[in-house]
Amino acid sequence: MSAWWFGALPAVRDLIDNQHSQATMQQPRTAVTMGQIPKELEPTRSVLHFFGAEVRRLRQTLGMSQADLGKLIFVHKDLIRKIEAAERMPAEELVNRCDDALSAGGALRRLWPMLERERRLRLSRDAAGSSVFRSEATDRPVLDWLLASTHDARRYRGDDEIASAAAEKLGQLRGVDHVHGAGHTYPDLAAVLDSDLDTLIARAPAVAAGFLELAGYEAVDLGADGRAQRHYLRALEIVTGVGDRLYGGYLIAVSLAHLALHCGDPDQAARLAAAALRGTEHQITPVVRATFRAVLARAHARRGDEAACAAALLQVEADLARGKPEDEPAWIRYFGEADLADEKAHCFFDLGLHELAQREATQAVTLLEPSRARRLAIDTALHAASLARARQIEHACAVGRRAVDHAAGLASFRSAHRIGLMMAELQPHADLPEVRDLAEYVHTRLPTLVTPHSR
């Protein structure tokens, strides 16, 4: 029996979120349609669809009926039908029971963190909460930034010794994060924020904002979208207060807009990128403008607007060609051809232009520094997913193995998520030998990403 895998987080999740649902099930999103023909699922549409498809596949492989499975896990067969049709969100206990009853070897259990995140994102559309990302929470801080006058910025006392030491620490944490993922660095970063943030805000606000930006980035990497948003907004508040217009634009157009994309709101991402472009038109440099427009291109692609996406990408290329490293702020110098190729690959994947997506993903992986392990894992997995959508299954599995190898040393929710999405693309071909082999490879190659969920 092949074991489908989906990455879970290391125990460091408890640092950022300890609120887990205790309910057995959630109410259905849509009315139930009765009938004898199983509902067609799209495993890549959502984690809930992937979970339902896997439960159905594993159940049918074992020759079980829905009633048989229901008896084994002590629920009605109608609940099994709704789970398999992606009409009901399971709770953790039900996921665990299905994993045991279907001999999934932990494959279903490891989907739980993603299912829980998806549940929270759905709930956030109807109710405010601190544990989830909410698009509307960014509106007032961005307006405050737009209306702020740099002439009225607060004066602050510089302290070179404190700023230098903190900046060095921040650089070290960034380096470890790139290589090992947020699971290794967030505890240290959280300790700095707990003990030193107020001092840094008073003496080195730019460094304080940098710590918060990294904390937000790492919170995303740990699957804590609400915490990431709060970190980013706190950083925006600081730079607004001290009149750092350009870095404020970066937090809006890159950090918060990428988070909006990650949480499924391309409209908000486009609004944020456009606001940052308008608000920095007198201070912006070519490479900074390129990063803002790259996010705008991503938002257009996610909305299916190919023409707008292409126009934005052309502007990004022109901006990069005009940029001079010595004229750019230090915090943007990371963005170059590899990052542009990464942004293009995601755009083309979302637009269904798979030959272009594969070309750009290959380019990104070729140009990336070996130390950027998480980005290598994500881009390689995206390449494999694109190949799977193009029905090049054997090639997709070969590239998928390389993605697993890149992810093997990481404690990263985002990398695990991308590997999971890659496997979801291959789910319709789960009976092919090469897909089964890849599933087993993922299951055995990434043990450090798999930890039992503590109750």
Side-chain angles (χ1 to χ4, degrees), residues 215-432:
Y217 188 79
E218 292 201 340
V220 174
D221 200 34
L222 294 171
D225 306 316
R227 178 60 63 94
Q229 185 179 35
R230 293 196 298 279
H231 284 319
Y232 289 149
L233 291 177
R234 184 74 175 101
L236 179 60
E237 178 187 354
I238 292 169
V239 299
T240 299
V242 300
D244 191 343
R245 192 75 166 176
L246 197 56
Y247 194 59
Y250 177 85
L251 290 167
I252 293 167
V254 179
S255 300
L256 286 165
H258 266 132
L259 179 59
L261 282 173
H262 183 61
C263 294
D265 193 345
D267 293 335
Q268 177 72 347
R271 286 192 292 269
L272 291 171
L277 284 165
R278 287 195 300 271
T280 58
E281 59 184 339
H282 299 302
Q283 299 90 3
I284 201 164
T285 60
V287 176
V288 174
R289 185 166 49 238
T291 62
F292 292 7
R293 285 175 167 167
V295 179
L296 195 58
R298 290 280 299 275
H300 290 318
R302 192 68 62 84
R303 295 187 297 191
D305 191 338
E306 184 174 337
C309 176
L313 288 176
L314 286 173
Q315 291 177 319
V316 172
E317 291 179 335
D319 287 332
L320 274 181
R322 286 193 294 268
K324 297 179 180 179
E326 62 271 18
D327 296 333
E328 298 290 336
W331 44 262
I332 204 62
R333 291 175 189 166
Y334 73 89
F335 192 87
E337 293 299 324
D339 299 273
L340 175 57
D342 164 79
E343 299 285 8
K344 286 182 175 179
H346 282 84
C347 287
F348 296 144
F349 181 83
D350 288 337
L351 290 168
L353 304 173
H354 293 300
E355 288 188 11
L356 293 175
Q358 293 154 27
R359 184 191 71 188
E360 296 298 336
T362 300
Q363 176 78 345
V365 169
T366 300
L367 294 175
L368 281 167
E369 294 291 333
S371 61
R372 297 184 68 179
R374 178 175 49 224
R375 178 54 56 194
L376 286 166
I378 290 171
D379 286 345
T380 307
L382 180 72
H383 185 189
S386 180
L387 288 164
R389 283 199 177 182
R391 297 185 179 276
Q392 300 179 46
I393 306 304
E394 185 174 354
H395 191 185
C397 290
V399 175
R401 280 182 173 256
R402 296 202 295 271
V404 173
D405 290 339
H406 287 305
L410 293 166
S412 163
F413 184 85
R414 288 178 62 213
S415 297
H417 187 191
R418 181 54 69 179
I419 295 291
L421 293 177
M422 175 187 79
M423 300 306 284
E425 296 287 354
L426 290 164
Q427 198 274 345
H429 312 281
D431 292 332
L432 294 179

